[in-house]
Amino acid sequence: MAVSLLAVPAGAANTAAVTFSDLGDKSTAVAVESLRLLGVLDGYGDGTFRPGTVLTRAQFCKMAVYAMDGSGELGRYSTVTIFPDVKPSHWASAYINMASKNGIISGFADGKFKPGQTVTAGQAVTILMRGLGYKDEDMGGVWPQSYLAEAQTNGLLKSTGITSAYAGLTRAQAAKLFLNLFEAKRGTGEGAV
């Protein structure tokens, strides 16, 4: 799956501070507003973004599909069952199935995806690195540290505050990761642009 090379919308930096009432940090506000305008993420109906809230695996998968410009293909994945715990009736089934078929996500050893489980920083970084064309077999060392080390080198982790691969990924960290995705160094695999 190719990563879309969309430019950050003009004016995003100027309007970011007022879009969501709970974003006090300017760099997070710019990342959130830029990605909101690109359709990758959104806030809540009460006008908040809730930057400290951790994401589930399903929520992050949906964001990854939108960031990688894959939403146009969702229809063909809406009736597929790849993971026994993600039936076609699950709200994120098309996103999860598409990401799985394109090799950017995988399930657990028991064959399940566990969509409601918190996504860890290591899992999120692995998904985005695969979207950038990095392959598991090219990552030396132990997962997920090998992916985090490469993500640090290619610029994906810049200003995210991610220090542990096993910590839950917050909405603010995800916004910064996705913004960095557009500038990160691409791998040489199939998904690379």
Side-chain angles (χ1 to χ4, degrees):
M1 180 184 325
V3 176
S4 174
L5 292 177
L6 298 172
V8 175
N14 296 331
T15 61
V18 297
T19 302
F20 298 108
S21 62
D22 60 343
L23 290 178
D25 172 41
K26 180 138 175 115
S27 69
T28 301
V30 168
V32 168
E33 180 61 10
S34 299
L35 294 165
R36 185 191 68 78
L37 292 171
L38 292 171
V40 174
L41 53 78
D42 208 346
Y44 292 88
D46 64 358
T48 62
F49 180 71
R50 302 177 193 168
T53 302
V54 293
L55 292 165
T56 65
R57 289 171 49 85
Q59 290 168 331
F60 187 81
C61 191
K62 178 183 177 182
M63 293 166 75
V65 167
Y66 274 103
M68 296 176 187
D69 202 26
S71 61
E73 300 176 32
L74 288 172
R76 68 174 77 158
Y77 298 102
S78 62
T79 60
V80 178
T81 300
I82 295 173
F83 301 104
D85 58 340
V86 183
K87 301 290 185 205
S89 59
H90 188 280
W91 71 266
S93 66
Y95 305 103
I96 293 166
N97 294 333
M98 179 183 180
S100 177
K101 288 287 188 180
N102 284 286
I104 65 167
I105 62 142
S106 56
F108 290 89
D110 63 2
K112 295 181 180 176
F113 183 72
K114 302 179 185 177
Q117 186 173 307
T118 297
V119 68
T120 66
Q123 293 166 349
V125 166
T126 299
I127 290 167
L128 296 183
M129 292 291 285
R130 287 175 180 161
L132 286 168
Y134 291 88
K135 301 287 184 194
D136 293 350
E137 57 268 16
D138 298 330
M139 294 289 136
V142 177
W143 181 86
Q145 289 81 4
S146 56
Y147 270 96
L148 261 63
E150 188 64 32
Q152 185 68 46
T153 302
N154 81 355
L156 189 62
L157 295 182
K158 180 178 71 177
S159 302
T160 61
I162 293 172
T163 57
S164 169
Y166 301 103
L169 187 76
T170 67
R171 289 171 54 83
Q173 289 171 324
K176 290 179 179 179
L177 269 179
F178 282 113
L179 194 59
N180 291 344
L181 179 69
F182 298 115
E183 296 179 359
K185 179 183 168 205
R186 302 328 188 226
T188 57
E190 215 172 284
V193 174

